[in-house]
Amino acid sequence: VSSSSASSFGYQDEAVCTLQIYPRFAIKPGQDCILRVPKEATATTVIKTAVATLGMDTSKPYILVEVQEYGGEEWVLQASDQPVQRVLLWPRKAQDKHPQSDGYFFALQEGSYDGSIQYDVMTSVRQEKVAQGLANRGFVTQQPQEYNDLCNLPELTEESILGTLRHRFHKQKIYTFASNILIVVNPFKFLPIYNPRYVKMYENHTLGKLEPHVFAIADAAFHTMLNKQVNQCIVISGESGSGKTQSTNFLIHCLTAFTQKGYTSGVERTILGAGPVLEAFGNAKTAYNNNSSRFGKFIQVNYLESGVVRGAVVEKYLLEKCRLVSRGKTERNYHVFYYLLIGASEEEKDEFKLLRPEEYHYLKEEIPISEDQAEMKHEFRRLHQAMEMVGFLPPTKKQIFSVLSAILYLGNVTYEPKVVGEGLKVGPDRVLSAISDLLKVKVELLVEALTTRKAMTANDTLILPYSLSEAITARDSMAKSLYSALFDWIVLRINHALLNKRDLEESVPCLSIGVLDIFGFEDFKTNSFEQFCINYANEQLQYYCNQRIFKLEQEEYMADGIIWHNIDYPDNIGCISLFSKKPTGLFYLLDEESNFPQATDSTLLEKFKQQHQDNPFFVQTPVREPAFVIRHFAGKVKYQIKDFREKNTDHMRPDIVALLRSSECSYLRQLIGANPVAVFRWGILRATIRTLAVFNEAGQSWAEKHPGNIYGSLIDFSFDRSEEGPLEAFEDIFATFENKNLTDFLFHWIHCEMGNLIDSHSLKFIMGLTQHNRATRSLLHLHTKKKPPSISAQFQASLSKLLETLRKAEPFFVRCIRSNGDKREMHFDDALVLQQLRYTGMLQTVRIRRSGYGAKFTFKEFTDQFRVLLPKEISTPQQDITNLLTKMGLPSSSFQIGRTKVFLKESERQILQEALHKEVMRSIIILQRWFRSCLMRKQYLREREGIITIQVLFVWLARGCLVINSATFPGPRRNPTIKISRATRVQEKWNASLDREITDSNELHHLDEFLGNQVCVVDVYSSLNPNIGYKDLMSGYQKRVASLAGLKKASEVPLVVNLFQSVLDGFIRGELKRLETEPCKVKERNRRKSKRDKCPDGPLGHLFSTYQVTIMQSCDQCSSYIWGMEKAFMCSSCKMVCHKKCLSKITVNCTGHCDRKKEGEQTLHFGVPICALVRTADSVPFVMEKMLVHVEMNGLYTEGIYRKSGSACRAKELHHILEKDPQAVSLDNYPIHTITGLVKLWLRELPDPLMTYSLYNDFLYAADLPEASEQLRAIYRKLDELPPSNFSTLERLIFHLVKVAKEEAHNRMSANALAILFAPCILRCPDSSDPLLSMKDINKTTLCVEILINEQTRCYNQKMEEIQQLENAEAMAINQLKLRRQNTFVLMLRIISKYLYCTVQNLFCLWFRNELAFRLPEFEQDSSDAENMDSESLVSSESLLEDHFVSLNSEGQY
C-alpha cells in the first residue's frame, strides 16, 4: 500500500492508496494492474476499476482473490470487503509493495454465473500434486518416504540425514526428532505454527506421538519434571543465526501457557514481559542474524511440586560491551537505541534531547535504517508494554531513556589539543551541556573526568592529562560502563519482580525447568576477545552435550553389563584444556599479562605461541601477523590479538565512578553502586532524614501562623534539598503517590505499602542467586592495591556455575541449524548444513539414540510402576521382567536386562505404558462391578427384611383387630351419620385454588413479599421460566412445620397448615384479580455479567475472549500476522486465535464443544451435551431444573438425601420416562432418593462434564495454589471461561447444593460431603488420562467444588444479613416516625382506636377458641374435620392468628 502523493511507496497521503492486481487470464499472463483507490473502497469497486483498466469483458462475473503463500490456500473477498484493510494485516514489508514474489498479492479471476467459487490451489501445492501424479504413473522416480525421526531412517548416513532435513524443510517442516533430541533448521521467516491451539494440541502428549515441534519438548520437560520430581533443563545450542533466541521465546511462551492454570499470575506475566525487554537491550543485528543475542541468559522457572509457578530467576553472561562503541560495517548497535530514536514521540524527543540516528557517532557506521522505521516504531510500543509487564513505571522508564540518550551523546564528544599548554580541549559545548542535563552532573566535573586521570603516590594524588588515544578510550569506557550498569540493573529489577516473597519466609520444596539461550559459535572476518570467550562457552556446551549423549550413556551400559559396542564420537576436551588448564591455559596467560604494566598485546601473543607451539588445537600464524588460530570443534577460527588485555581489564574507572556519584540523580548513583543492598539502606536513611526536615519546616510554618499554640520546642534541624529524592531509584514503589501531599503519602505508605516495599532481605536473596553476574560491576579503587577479578576470570566462574546447574538436572537438547549464510527465507544450503551436522556429531548422535536405550529403570522402579502387569509374587525380578516383556511380544533387541536395571527402547516403553493403562482400566471396571453388586445385594437384603417385618406386623394387627371387634360389638353395626362442617366446604375451595401453578417470576416475588419474609417456604431463584405449583409450596410448608414441631407437638401441625392455606388462598385470589385488571408486563432480567459477556459473541460455538500476544503469531482465519504485544481474540475452548475484524468471517465450527442442535432434532435428555439441551445460552436444561426444583420442594429435610441410593428398578423406570416425555412425568410418584440418584446420573453421563475436560487441569492447578484467596480467585477466573450453558447449569447446581447444605442439621449433608459426592460428576478427568495419576487428583477436585459451595454459602448468608439489616433499619425508622407523631391529637385517636381494635380482636379470638372447645365433642373422631379443628392446635396457633390479624390491620392503616 502506498500513498498517491509519494513518488515511491510511502506514508504521506493516507486517503488514497495503491493496489497491485494480478489477473489470472490466458490473454495477458503475468501482467499486473496498478490501481489507486481510497481506503474505504470495497472489493466490488476494485474489481470494476481493474476490469475497466485491463479492458476485459464487463459482462462476465469476476472475483478478487487474496493470495497468501504462507497460508496454503486463498481467500475470496466478499463484495463488501475492503482490500486495503486486508493489506494492513500483511507483514510490514509486503504492505508497501506486494509483488507476487513476496507471496502476498491480489489476483483477479473469472467467477461462475451460478454464484459458486472455484478456489485456485497454491503454486507450491499444485506443483507437489503434479509431481506426485507423475510419480504414481511411473514417469519420475518415487520420492523417498518422509521420516519425522532420524532414528527411523532405513539407512543411516550423512546423505540420508541431510536429505531428510532438506525434504522436510522444503515442506516447511523445520522440526525433526532424533529420539528425544529436537533438530531445528532456521527458515529465516515466521511460520504460523505457534498459536495457542498448537500449545493445546501438544499438551500432555507422549514425545513422538505428534509431528516434531518445539512445544513437544516443552511439554515433555514439564511432565517429566512432575512425574519424576526432578529438575529439568532445555539446552539450546547452535551457531549464531541458527534461531536459538526465537526457540527460547517459543519455549517460554509454551511453558507459561502450561502453567497459567489458575490465572495469569504476576510471575508468568513478568516472564513473558522480560523477553522483549532483554532482547531490546541485549540483542543486535549482525552479519548472520537480525536478532542476535549479544549476551547469554539462563532462565530458570521454579515450580511447586504440583506444577504451579513459584518464581523465576534470570542469569546473564558476558554482555558484549564493545559493540556499543565499534562494530562491523554491516552490523548495528543494540536494538533499544533505534527503537528510542525512531519510535519516541515529539515530546519524548524534546525531553531526552534526541537527534536523528545518523547524527550519533556510535550509530553512524551502520546500514541505512529507513526501510525498518515502521517496524521500529512498533517495537518501541512493544517495549513500552513489556516494561510495564515487568513492573517499570513511567518515571523509571524516563530515567532509563535519559541514560541511553546520554550514552549516545558521549560518542559525540570530540577532542583537540589545547592551543596553550598541555592537555586536550573537549567539546562541543552543546554536547557537554546535553550530557550534563541528562546525567545531572556539573559540566566542570564532566570535562575533568573526560580529560584527566588521578594517580596515587605515597604522599599525594597526581592529576595527569590524557593523551588523545587515552581520552577516547576513557570516553568509550564511560559509555560502556554506564550501559553495562544499566543492563545489570534491569536484570536485577526483573529478578526482583520474578521473586516469590514467600521464598524468603518459608522453605517449600520446589522444582525447576531451566532454558539456556547462550551466544552461538561465531566466526567473523574480525574476531576479538568477545568471540574468544563466546567460542570457549560453546566448547564447554558441546562437551556437556557429548558427556550426556555419549560418554555417560555408554559408561552406564558397560557398568550394568549389557551387550554394547562403543560408538566413537568427537571429543573436544583438548581444546577446553587449551583455554582453561592451569597454569598454561590461554585464560591464565592472559591474566598474567594483564597484571604486568609493561606488557602489550604483542608480548601476550608471543607467550601464547611459546607455550602452545606443539598443541594440535593451537595453529601458528606468520610472525608479523597479530593473530592466532584455534582449531575448535566447529572449525578453525582466527583471533586478532588487538585489545585483548584492555578488554580483559575493562572495569569502571575511579574517575568515572566519582563523576557519576556526584550526580544529583539518585537513580544514576544506584546504577554504579557496587552493592545494591548498601545503596538501598543509604537511600532509606536519607529519606528518613529528609522526611524529618520536611516535618520540621512544616512545624515552623505552623508555629509562625499560630504563635500562641506552641506546645513544645521544635527540632532545630535543617537539610539541603537541592538534590532529588534519595529513593528515586526505587520510583516504581513511590510513583503511585507522587501527586499526593506528604501527609497522605506517609499515612498510606505506613498502613498499606510497607509490606510491598523492596527490602534488603529480598535484595540479599537475589544477590545470592546471581552473585557471579554482579562481579562485572567491580570497581578500581584508588586506595586499595587489590584488583578486582578480570573479565575472563568472572566469565569462567559464571560458566562453571551454569554447568554445575545443568549437571544437577535432566537435560533435553535442541540443536539449531542455520539453513544458509545470507539470511534468505526458506533457502537450504546443503554445504553449510552438512558442515554443522558434522561438527555437532549428528550422525553419531542418531546412531547412539537409535541403538541405545532411552528408558532405564531400576528393578524396584520397574516393579513399582508396572506392578499390575507382573505376577502377584515376585521372586526373581530379572526373570519375571524378562517373561513379561517376552510375553508382550517385544523383540529381544528392543530391551536388555542388566545387573541392576532394565533398559528399554522408547517405543517399547510406550507400549508398556499403554498396556498398563488398559490393565488398570480393566481392574477399575471389575472393582466397580463388584462394588455395585455389593450395594445392590445390601439394598435387596434391607428391603427384604423390611417387607417381612411389615407383613408380620400387618398379620398381627389384623388378628388383633378382629378379636377386639368380635369382643366389643358382638351384633351388627350401623354406620353413623357423618357431619360435614362449613370448614370442610371451605377446604374443598382451597384445594381447588391450589391447582394453580406459578408461571411468572413476578408472581413468585409478590408471594415472597406477601408472606413478609417470615415463613421460610419460598426460596426465590431467579429463573426465566419458573414452574412451581402452590401444592408444592403447601407440601414443603407442611414438612417444614412437621420437622419443627417434632413428635411432642405433632398434633398441632394440621391446624397451622390449614391456617397458612387460608392465607395462601387469599393471596391467590388477589393475584388472579391483579392479573385480570393490570396488563401483563414482561421485564428483562437484570443480571451481573461476567467477563466473557464483554467479549464479542462467538460464532459457531466459539467462546472468544481478549488475548494479549507475547510472541508473533498468525490469525487462524486470515493467516495474517499478529505482532507481539498486540490484542487478539482467542477461543477458550478450541484455542482459535484471530483478529477482531475476522470474528464475523469465521466459518469453522468450534472443535471444543458441540454446536446447538436444532429444535426437535434430538429428544434425548441424558448423555447429551448441555449446549444441545438449552434454547438460550443462560438457561438450564429442563430435566435438570425439574429434578432440582422437586428435591428442593420435597427433600431438603430428608436424611442422607444424596448419600443414600434409591431403588434401581424405579430409577430405570423414571429414566425411561424422562427420556421419552419429561413434561408429562410426575415426580411425586417416585421416592426422593430415586430422583437424587438421577441428578447425579444426569451429570455423570454428560459427554463433556459440567466443568469441561479442557479446564480440568486448570482447576487442579488452582486448587494447588498456596493461599485460599488465590485459590478462590483462580477458580472463579476459570469459571468465566466455561461455555455459557455450562456456566448457567453449574450456577444452578451450586445454588441447589447451598440450599441442601443450609439444612445440614436435618439432612446430615455438609458442604464437604456434597463436594465428595458431586466432584466426580462435574469435574472428571479426561478418559485419556492415566487412571493411577487421576486417583491422586480426587482431593483437588473435591476441594474445588467445596470452595465453590462454601463461597456461595458465604454470599448467601451475607445477603440474608443485609436483608435483616434493612428490615431492622426499616423498623427503626417506623418507630422513630411513630415517636414524632405522639404529640398530635390524630395520633392519639389512632392509638386509642388501635387499642380498642386489638382488645376486640383478642376477645374474638378467646370466644372463637372457647366456641371450638365447646363444640369439639360434637365432631366424629374419624371425620376429616377432626384433624383440621384440633383444640390443642388452636391453642398453639393463637399467636399466629393474632399476628395475621395485626398484619391485616397494619395493611389497612397505610
Side-chain angles (χ1 to χ4, degrees), residues 735-959:
T736 308
F737 314 102
E738 60 184 358
N739 296 325
K740 298 184 180 181
N741 56 46
L742 180 64
T743 305
D744 293 342
F745 165 70
L746 289 175
F747 179 82
H748 193 90
W749 182 32
I750 292 172
H751 287 81
C752 303
E753 292 297 318
M754 289 299 293
N756 297 328
L757 270 177
I758 181 174
D759 54 5
S760 59
H761 191 27
S762 62
L763 284 176
K764 286 182 180 178
F765 186 81
I766 297 172
M767 292 290 294
L769 294 176
T770 59
Q771 185 63 42
H772 61 281
N773 294 338
R774 304 287 299 182
T776 56
R777 300 281 298 277
S778 302
L779 309 178
L780 287 174
H781 297 282
L782 294 175
H783 304 284
T784 179
K785 295 182 179 179
K786 184 179 179 181
K787 293 184 177 181
S790 64
I791 302 299
S792 61
Q794 298 169 24
F795 181 66
Q796 288 186 85
S798 61
L799 194 59
S800 298
K801 185 178 183 298
L802 170 64
L803 293 173
E804 181 183 354
T805 303
L806 295 180
R807 293 188 187 101
K808 294 179 181 178
E810 288 189 358
F812 284 86
F813 296 101
V814 178
R815 294 282 196 180
C816 295
I817 304 295
R818 187 157 54 106
S819 59
N820 63 86
D822 302 325
K823 296 184 286 189
R824 295 170 57 187
E825 294 185 357
M826 299 306 299
H827 177 69
F828 193 89
D829 188 342
D830 288 15
L832 181 60
V833 173
L834 183 59
Q835 177 187 357
Q836 297 172 79
L837 294 176
R838 284 176 176 172
Y839 72 66
T840 55
M842 189 54 62
L843 178 62
Q844 294 82 357
T845 300
V846 176
R847 182 173 289 124
I848 193 173
R849 290 297 182 184
R850 182 177 181 177
S851 56
Y853 303 95
K856 298 178 282 292
F857 303 91
T858 64
F859 293 147
K860 185 178 185 307
E861 292 173 348
F862 190 92
T863 53
D864 290 343
Q865 183 169 350
F866 302 101
R867 187 67 181 84
V868 179
L869 302 176
L870 293 169
K872 295 182 179 180
E873 297 182 359
I874 301 177
S875 56
T876 55
Q878 294 92 329
Q879 188 60 40
D880 292 332
I881 293 173
T882 303
N883 294 339
L884 170 65
L885 299 179
T886 305
K887 180 180 178 181
M888 294 184 62
L890 301 182
S892 57
S893 60
S894 63
F895 68 91
Q896 288 198 51
I897 309 298
R899 298 189 183 97
T900 60
K901 294 182 180 180
V902 181
F903 297 87
L904 291 167
K905 303 278 189 182
E906 180 62 26
S907 57
E908 276 65 28
R909 186 198 66 82
Q910 295 178 12
I911 294 175
L912 266 179
Q913 197 68 36
E914 293 175 358
L916 175 65
H917 177 77
K918 293 179 180 179
E919 183 63 24
V920 170
M921 292 301 298
R922 189 184 69 85
S923 302
I924 289 176
I925 293 173
I926 292 175
L927 288 174
Q928 289 176 343
R929 289 175 179 172
W930 177 84
F931 187 70
R932 287 171 181 167
S933 65
C934 291
L935 290 178
M936 295 302 297
R937 176 67 178 172
K938 186 177 179 180
Q939 181 180 355
Y940 165 74
L941 293 176
R942 185 169 61 251
E943 293 179 355
R944 181 174 178 273
E945 182 181 357
I947 291 172
I948 293 174
T949 303
I950 292 173
Q951 290 175 345
V952 171
L953 290 175
F954 181 78
V955 173
W956 183 82
L957 289 174
R959 291 177 180 177

Side-chain angles (χ1 to χ4, degrees), residues 149-151 153 156-158 161-162 165 176-179 181-184 237 542 546 549-550 567-570 813-817 833-850:
D149 193 336
L150 297 180
C151 295
L153 290 174
L156 188 57
T157 60
E158 286 184 347
I161 294 176
L162 182 65
L165 294 179
T176 308
F177 279 134
S179 185
I181 299 175
L182 183 68
I183 303 172
V184 187
S237 60
Q542 178 68 15
N546 289 341
I549 296 175
F550 296 103
I567 298 176
D568 296 331
Y569 62 92
F813 296 101
V814 178
R815 294 282 196 180
C816 295
I817 304 295
V833 173
L834 183 59
Q835 177 187 357
Q836 297 172 79
L837 294 176
R838 284 176 176 172
Y839 72 66
T840 55
M842 189 54 62
L843 178 62
Q844 294 82 357
T845 300
V846 176
R847 182 173 289 124
I848 193 173
R849 290 297 182 184
R850 182 177 181 177

